[in-house]
Each structure stands twice: as structure tokens, then as C-alpha cells.
Amino acid sequence: MRGMLHVLKLLASRQVDEVYGSAALRNAPPKHRIPEQEIPPFDAYQLVHDEVGLDGNSRLNLATFCQTWVEPEVHRLMNECIDKNVIDKDEYPQTAELEARCAHIVGDLWHAPETGHPIGTSTTGSSEAAMLGGMAAKWRWRARMQAAGKPTGKPNFVCGPVQICWHKFARYFEVEMRQVPMEKGRLMLTPEEVVARCDENTIAVVPTLGVTYTLQYEPVEAIARALDDLQRRSGLDVPIHVDGASGGFLAPFLTPELRWDFRLARVRSINASGHKFGLSPLGCGWIVWRSMDDLPEDLIFRVNYLGGDMPTFALNFSRPGGQVVAQYYDFVRLGREGYARIHRSCAETAAWLSEQIAALGPFSMIYDGRGGIPGCTWTLREDAGVPYNLFDLADKVRSRGWLVPAYSLPANVTSLVVQRVLVKNGFSRDMAGLFLQDLKRAMAQLAKHPPGRSLAENEVGSFKHT
Ligand SMILES: Cc1ncc(COP(=O)(O)O)c(C=O)c1O
């Protein structure tokens, strides 16, 4: 009753108060314990809304691979599905049906042979999908080794410069990661390096279709051929799991002739992020196995307390249904034509931006936006002769809101610092032009006022230059 009176009083005061003069907003709420009293929803909304306004503007986030723009209809569907749990397949059978359809659509995009009964599921993103793919590979390998009466204590997988999720998989699931290090002049896996690291304890080889650091595709087909050859020579049969987090939704539309998917018999499972180039909102990933035989039965749990007999093979249980529904919307809304048009437009902008950045002078392009993920990657030339580095440049363009990270590459090229731009749906050619102007302005300012110098030195410097 007292609480109720408190809210009524607040509501009464709200009629005369301007928002920020309201009793609720006159004081800041405690930050690390729940407040004693409640406040009206509009005041609470304003409070939280204002705080998240301090985040970077996601539309200017050229660092993320994830979608930062979706159609208004997606917002509506997400809203309509906010209360649906994708795991409640018996209660929300139509959402479950859309999930099953999406998994089929994704399998079909990746040329999964229907006769083999491919099987797939949605996940929260590629990380969860990668864990599932890795686990299935480990389980299959263990069963094979046990059947042959061999020890199962030392599984390994072979990969190139993978995303952090594979480091997590290695640690969480106790599988040795045999990572082919990057070298100057070789920033990705090669068939020779892969084969040299495979043995009878290799559960899978994991090439990446769109390396996180450089955006380039690793040569899946050449790796598959080398593994075929290895099998002919040694009898070792090493499967491939493709991490197609980005490329899985790009290659089918931009480079349909590229053979990286289930057209290669050795590819047993593929993961991709719906929320990256699948164009669905954040929180959506996919994994598809080539056939039912590739997903060991003892990884599937059957739950009946929600009604029905529900198979589940995700790491999480409850998850919002909206992302899957939105993914289905994207598929029916865009079709092959729409996905190809959007991705092509991004790829063209990326190639254009890459040419413009190369023409600025101090940079050497590592990836020019052609053949892999729409975007570009560059480094500072050793003879650039500029008084700043890429970290300074990243800081400077951030003052205009652009989030364009600079980072050092992993072993063995940690001394190589690169900067990267992702071109996604929503980053138009016009915005690319605006970014370029800001990049040039940042370079000019840094040249005039080199970082790490005192204000007085910079003043002298700026006088000298003007
Ligand atoms: C190659 C690759 N794999 C996996 C992931 C993890 O994906 P998610 O963020 O969907 O979990 C990423 C994310 O950038 C990636 O680039």
C-alpha cells in the first residue's frame, strides 16, 4: 500500500514536473544495489535511455561483423516475438517450424545433399555453433578410436588464425589446438601446413571462410584435396568443419562457383552467423551437419516436460524466438536476388574504399575488398614517414564517432599492426565517402599535431606548418 501511494505521489508530481524535474530523476539511483523504491516507467525509461546513449553509435561501428541496421518490419517482428521462447517448440510450433525451415534453407544454400538427411539448428551465434560443431567432431573421433581400441586422451584440431571461439572450444572441451601461425607473406592456412599437423588424434580441420583479422577466405577446397591425398597415402580420414561465420552467408550469393561447402565430401559441418551477413538481428547463428550420422545421437537430449518429445542439441536452453523469425523474414523477403544485390553493393563499396585508402599514400593494403568479406584491411608502410601510428589514427577518427579498430596480428606476425573496415548493409557509398573525408582530416591533424608531443611543441609545429 505504501509503495502504491509512493507511485501515485510520483505520478501526481509528474503532471506538473518536466521530465528532468520529476522527483524520480532529481536524484541518481544507486548504481550497484537495487533501489528501495519504484519509479514510474517513463522516468525509468528516460534514465536508462540517456545512459545507453553514451555507447558508440552502432551505425558508425565499422569494426563489427554484426548487423547494425535492420528493416522496420524486422523491428516489428522482434517486438511481436519478444515473449516467445524458441525452446518451447510445443507451445510455439510455428516458430519451431520457421526454425526448421531456416535450417533447411541454410543447408540448401550450402549444397547439403538431401539424400544424406542433413540436420541443423539455430544458435545464439557462431560461437555456440562452433562449440557444437567441435563437440560433434570430438564425439565422432572418440567413438572411432574406441571402436579401434585406441587411446582417446589427446584429441587435437588443426586451424589457422581462428576467432576466439575456437580458443574457447579448445580450452572448454579439452582439445589441443594446433594453430598454423601466420607468417609474413602467409596470413592464412595452406594445405601443406594443415597436412603436416594432422595425425590420428585430429578430430577435424577448421578452415575459416572470412578470417577475422584480414577478411580473406581460407582455401577450403585445396585443403580438402590435400586431406583426400593424405587419406590415400596414410589411411587417415580427417573431416573438415568450416567456420563460415561471415562467408557462409556471402559466398552463396557473391561467389556461387567457389566450392567450400558440402559440395566437398570432406566437409561434415558448417557454422555461420545469421546476425552477420545473414542479415538477421543480433543473437542468431546456424550450424548444419552434412548428415544425421555426423551428429552423434548422445549429443541430442530429449525433453518432454514442455509437452511433446523435443530433441535439443544447443548449449543454451531458453532463447528469444524473434531472431529466428526475423531470419525467416529475411529469407522470404530478399530471396537470392535480394541477398546478392545487398552483398554486391557492399562488396563494391569495399573495393572502392580500399582503392581510395590505398591512394592516400602511407598505407599498404593487406586485403582490398575483393574475393572475401566486404571490407578492407591495411597497414602503415614502413617508409610511410608519418609521425603517427594506426592506433593514433583509430583514436582520432573515433572523435568523429567512427569505430575503426587498429590491432596487431596474432603469432608469428605480432609486430604487424593493421586497421580494418567492415562494409555491411547500412554503410552506404555516401557514408564511405564521409568516412574517407574524416580519415583524411584525421591524418592531416595528426601530421600537424603529432601524438605524444607537448601542447607547446604542437603549437610550434602548427605555426611552422601554417
Ligand atoms: C570467423 C569467426 N568465427 C566465429 C565468430 C564468432 O561469431 P559470433 O559473434 O556470432 O559468436 C566470429 C565473429 O566475428 C568470426 O569472425
Side-chain angles (χ1 to χ4, degrees):
M1 193 63 193
R2 240 182 84 225
M4 189 70 168
L5 278 175
H6 167 72
V7 171
L8 286 174
K9 260 195 240 160
L10 283 174
L11 286 172
S13 77
R14 188 69 180 67
Q15 282 164 3
V16 288
D17 282 344
E18 177 274 344
V19 178
Y20 294 96
S22 69
L25 293 192
R26 230 173 285 144
N27 297 305
K31 296 284 185 286
H32 300 118
R33 60 178 167 77
I34 191 161
E36 290 304 322
Q37 292 184 313
E38 55 187 323
I39 58 177
F42 31 80
D43 289 336
Y45 170 81
Q46 199 62 45
L47 195 84
V48 178
H49 172 85
D50 288 352
E51 183 148 5
V52 293
L54 290 171
D55 280 336
N57 176 351
S58 64
R59 294 293 306 285
L60 305 184
N61 183 356
L62 310 186
T64 182
F65 293 75
C66 295
Q67 277 310 301
T68 49
W69 184 84
V70 290
E71 291 186 314
E73 287 75 11
V74 169
H75 285 272
R76 279 174 59 195
L77 284 170
M78 290 291 283
N79 208 11
E80 288 163 23
C81 294
I82 197 166
D83 48 1
K84 288 191 192 179
N85 193 340
V86 86
I87 201 76
D88 293 344
K89 297 185 198 300
D90 213 47
E91 286 76 0
Y92 309 119
Q94 225 44 40
T95 297
E97 164 66 17
L98 298 192
E99 183 191 19
R101 278 186 217 165
C102 284
H104 272 96
I105 290 172
V106 173
D108 182 59
L109 278 177
W110 297 340
H111 299 96
E114 264 309 315
T115 47
H117 303 293
I119 181 164
T121 183
S122 71
T123 57
T124 42
S126 272
S127 300
E128 185 186 357
M131 306 286 158
L132 294 174
M135 252 192 326
K138 182 177 174 183
W139 259 240
R140 292 194 311 259
W141 165 83
R142 195 169 49 201
R144 223 171 41 235
M145 294 295 273
Q146 280 166 345
K150 292 185 173 172
T152 57
K154 291 192 164 172
N156 70 70
F157 71 102
V158 178
C159 62
V162 279
Q163 206 260 358
I164 187 83
C165 66
W166 291 101
H167 295 258
K168 287 188 181 178
F169 168 72
R171 199 173 302 168
Y172 295 169
F173 294 93
E174 298 182 328
V175 181
E176 179 198 351
M177 182 166 77
R178 293 190 176 165
Q179 191 169 28
V180 178
M182 285 181 164
E183 301 292 349
K184 274 210 165 115
R186 184 186 53 67
L187 300 181
M188 63 168 83
L189 277 184
T190 61
E192 299 72 34
E193 298 288 347
V194 166
V195 168
R197 285 168 179 78
C198 288
D199 58 26
E200 66 174 357
N201 289 323
T202 305
I203 65 166
V205 170
V206 181
T208 305
L209 205 71
V211 173
T212 317
Y213 303 96
T214 62
L215 311 182
Q216 294 160 318
Y217 289 170
E218 291 190 316
V220 186
E221 185 171 16
I223 291 169
R225 264 195 264 115
L227 291 172
D228 290 346
D229 185 51
L230 177 70
Q231 186 172 7
R232 268 192 298 275
R233 285 187 285 112
S234 68
L236 281 184
D237 182 7
V238 183
I240 290 180
H241 171 96
V242 181
D243 181 350
S246 294
F249 280 112
L250 286 164
F253 307 109
L254 285 181
T255 48
E257 68 292 346
L258 186 73
R259 288 160 54 86
W260 63 277
D261 53 14
F262 293 119
R263 280 169 288 183
L264 307 170
R266 200 161 285 281
V267 173
R268 310 298 280 274
S269 49
I270 302 174
N271 70 271
S273 301
H275 56 215
K276 296 190 171 100
F277 292 88
L279 305 181
S280 76
L282 273 171
C284 185
W286 297 97
I287 176 158
V288 176
W289 286 268
R290 171 179 208 89
S291 82
M292 299 278 266
D293 296 341
D294 292 308
L295 177 62
E297 179 63 29
D298 59 348
L299 285 183
I300 304 176
F301 288 81
R302 295 187 190 279
V303 180
N304 62 13
Y305 70 83
L306 296 170
D309 175 33
M310 188 190 65
T312 157
F313 46 98
L315 294 183
N316 227 60
F317 192 68
S318 295
R319 201 150 44 79
Q323 282 82 347
V324 166
V325 171
Q327 179 78 81
Y328 185 73
Y329 163 84
D330 282 324
F331 288 154
V332 293
R333 147 94 177 96
L334 295 169
R336 280 185 187 270
E337 185 189 14
Y339 271 93
R341 187 175 43 73
I342 288 169
H343 292 341
R344 211 175 296 124
S345 150
C346 291
E348 284 166 9
T349 297
W352 176 83
L353 188 59
S354 170
E355 279 165 22
Q356 302 298 312
I357 291 174
L360 294 176
F363 309 118
S364 150
M365 302 313 289
I366 287 187
Y367 170 63
D368 65 1
R370 292 180 171 82
I373 301 176
C376 51
T377 323
W378 64 91
T379 185
L380 201 56
R381 285 204 336 258
E382 273 174 23
D383 62 351
V386 293
Y388 55 84
N389 60 32
L390 293 182
F391 294 106
D392 300 322
L393 199 52
D395 269 355
K396 200 67 174 172
V397 293
R398 191 165 185 155
S399 66
R400 285 279 291 167
W402 301 108
L403 304 171
V404 182
Y407 51 92
S408 56
L409 292 181
N412 291 333
V413 282
T414 48
S415 59
L416 192 60
V417 174
V418 302
Q419 202 163 12
R420 188 192 67 193
V421 158
L422 260 301
V423 177
K424 302 177 297 276
N425 195 21
F427 183 61
S428 62
R429 175 67 71 89
D430 192 54
M431 285 173 80
L434 295 172
F435 166 67
L436 194 67
Q437 273 179 16
D438 281 338
L439 186 67
K440 287 182 193 167
R441 198 174 298 134
M443 289 163 68
Q445 284 173 356
L446 286 168
K448 212 164 166 185
H449 307 287
R453 291 170 57 176
S454 70
L455 191 59
E457 282 175 302
N458 273 339
E459 287 299 303
V460 172
S462 69
F463 283 134
K464 262 200 245 155
H465 282 92
T466 50

